């Protein structure tokens, strides 16, 4: 499904170059459940953005479903992103002027789903993350963990086959966090692929494989007891 | 130091009223170390914003240093906020167009500290949170956990006597999180008061008292083994 070879990512700021990823190689099969861990600033979000086709590497190759992402046109990339991938951003990335229902519907608007169907799917997704009572609140009218859950609802509304979640429980108490993990568990049991970044060991325990990133490189890549 | 009696906070959205806090009474002495926990959406940040004089309650009284906050003028409130309180926001609240050094200096600009002294104090604060190499990065050029640490550096730069930190480690791996907790530990040992919101039990263990909030009310308020 996913094959990365020698992926590097550099950011330039004035004269300075930050080597956020320095030669990452990994492959992930369909229906794996992978946790990515590592210190703050080690390159996890940079890796997730490249996995999710939201950013391109400075060097290296990335094949998705057997096709080289670097050879895809913008339209093909957008189609992969909208149809196959659900992305939960670390900073939520919600539209501040729209209420949570409209934020959740967003991926379906890109896919041309009818208004009535969009509404139904978005309401179901909001209820699944426990926010049925907060559908008409704007992001500034929600708590931190509620905003995070809108970001999760939006990522799952188009029934993606690959879920990429960057620190999905960072603002959630353990009970609410476990409810979100149950959602990922169900998606995984249905044959989908789940890749999440976390710093919380009890979250990583749900995965069947843990990749540790250190200073822009893969430090270890091991199966867990769940494998 | 802090005395709250029957604090209520309501938010109105159209016809709907959200009772975010429904009668919270608590008192906190100087040099206590308090952890506030509770489910997502239970009212913790709302309580912290009122404690930090960033928002006023709908009902109830709040006395700070023996003075009623509701009787303070805007200038008096600004002085308390800038001189005595360091506030770490759950969503960081950084200026997106300024680099991290300038963001950290901000409280000192309000206090009229000289440019040279501001620079020195802000550099020391950035180094204390491990971001000496990221001083000229803007927030969008930082990782999630690095942005969080800039928010912490900014809150501590004016040497506040009351530290209010809302989920200060939500985006940090446990090692970096422990480094931040060491900073709070040192501040506490110097006689300052630390009040933090967290959902991580290993963070709450640093405190000598844990207040559980449930549905806008105090559910329990107990000393920990550290007390
Ligand atoms: N500006 C607002 N307008 C309307 N409702 C609001 C507003 N801000 C917060 N709320 C609501 O008030 C309740 C309490 O919010 P608060 O941010 O205090 O929760 P919290 O305990 O900090 O949650 P979290 O752990 O998710 O950060 C939530 O249900 C939220 O939807
Ligand atoms: N746009 C950018 N410009 C310059 N440097 C950047 C940019 N984005 C990220 N970086 C740097 O690249 C490194 C990796 O960032 P990344 O966001 O991938 O880390 P992370 O592992 O997700 O960290 P965290 O756990 O704190 O979220 C960091 O040191 C960061 O400062
Ligand atoms: Mg990150
Ligand atoms: Mg909060």
């Amino acid at each position: 499904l996913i094959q990365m070879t020698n992926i590097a990512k550099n950011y330039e700021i004035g004269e300075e170059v930050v080597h956020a990823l320095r030669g990452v190689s990994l492959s992930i099969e369909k229906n794996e459940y992978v946790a990515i861990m590592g210190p703050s600033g080690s390159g996890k979000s940079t890796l997730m953005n490249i996995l999710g086709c939201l950013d391109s590497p400075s060097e290296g190759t990335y094949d998705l479903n057997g096709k080289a992402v670097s050879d895809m046109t913008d339209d093909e990339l957008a189609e992969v992103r909208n149809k196959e991938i659900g992305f939960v951003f670390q900073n939520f990335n919600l539209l501040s002027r729209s209420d949570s229902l409209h934020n959740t519907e967003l991926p379906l608007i890109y896919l041309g789903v009818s208004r009535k169907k969009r509404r139904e799917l978005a309401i179901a997704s909001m209820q699944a993350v426990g926010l049925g009572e907060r559908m008409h609140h704007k992001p500034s009218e929600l708590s931190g963990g509620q905003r995070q859950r809108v970001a999760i609802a939006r990522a799952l509304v188009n029934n993606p086959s690959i879920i990429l979640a960057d620190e999905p429980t960072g603002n959630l108490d353990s009970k609410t966090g476990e409810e979100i993990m149950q959602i990922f568990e169900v998606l995984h049991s249905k044959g989908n692929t789940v890749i999440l970044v976390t710093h919380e060991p009890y979250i990583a325990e749900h995965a069947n494989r843990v990749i540790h990133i250190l200073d822009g490189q893969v430090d270890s890549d091991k199966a867990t007891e769940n494998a």
Side-chain angles (χ1 to χ4, degrees), chain A:
Chain A
L1 179 69
I2 284 171
Q3 181 85 42
M4 281 185 157
T5 313
N6 271 331
I7 293 286
K9 178 70 187 178
N10 305 324
Y11 295 113
E12 281 153 35
I13 294 195
E15 298 301 303
E16 186 200 348
V17 180
V18 175
H19 299 282
L21 292 178
R22 301 185 298 138
V24 170
S25 296
L26 52 84
S27 59
I28 298 175
E29 300 303 315
K30 196 170 173 348
N31 202 25
E32 279 201 68
Y33 193 151
V34 183
I36 298 175
M37 303 185 81
S40 173
S42 55
K44 305 180 296 296
S45 295
T46 301
L47 178 60
M48 289 290 268
N49 292 341
I50 294 171
L51 277 168
C53 301
L54 293 161
D55 195 8
S56 46
S58 308
E59 292 166 42
T61 60
Y62 172 27
D63 289 353
L64 180 58
N65 287 326
K67 193 160 182 190
V69 171
S70 52
D71 292 347
M72 287 184 189
T73 63
D74 278 358
D75 281 354
E76 283 173 315
L77 274 176
E79 194 161 335
V80 164
R81 275 199 309 255
N82 292 331
K83 275 208 179 130
E84 293 193 38
I85 297 175
F87 201 103
V88 184
F89 291 87
Q90 185 173 5
N91 62 348
F92 317 155
N93 242 352
L94 300 175
L95 297 181
S96 58
R97 288 196 194 128
S98 300
D99 67 20
S100 25
L101 197 60
H102 187 74
N103 265 288
T104 302
E105 280 182 5
L106 216 58
L108 303 175
I109 296 175
Y110 291 133
L111 289 172
V113 173
S114 78
R115 187 176 165 70
K116 187 166 167 295
K117 187 75 191 150
R118 260 182 6 223
R119 244 330 98 132
E120 269 172 35
L121 290 172
I123 289 173
S125 208
M126 292 278 305
Q127 286 171 335
V129 297
L131 285 180
E133 308 273 309
R134 290 282 179 276
M135 291 199 270
H136 298 293
H137 285 228
K138 294 200 182 76
S140 63
E141 296 166 339
L142 292 172
S143 79
Q146 290 170 340
R147 283 193 287 270
Q148 182 151 46
R149 284 183 278 161
V150 174
I152 293 165
R154 181 182 66 187
L156 303 182
V157 77
N158 61 337
N159 206 9
S161 56
I162 306 171
I163 290 104
L164 295 171
D166 195 343
E167 295 278 1
T169 62
N171 280 276
L172 301 176
D173 59 288
S174 34
K175 184 166 165 290
T176 311
E178 274 306 317
E179 287 165 15
I180 295 299
M181 295 317 289
Q182 282 316 308
I183 298 174
F184 292 149
E185 205 77 56
V186 168
L187 289 169
H188 178 241
S189 65
K190 285 183 182 166
N192 298 298
T193 309
V194 179
I195 303 169
L196 55 80
V197 170
T198 185
H199 67 275
E200 298 184 87
Y202 80 97
I203 298 290
E205 273 162 26
H206 287 265
N208 53 30
R209 178 179 165 196
V210 177
I211 300 175
H212 273 276
I213 304 288
L214 193 60
D215 213 7
Q217 292 182 308
V218 173
D219 186 47
S220 70
D221 185 350
K222 286 184 200 135
T224 65
E225 290 98 39
N226 296 351

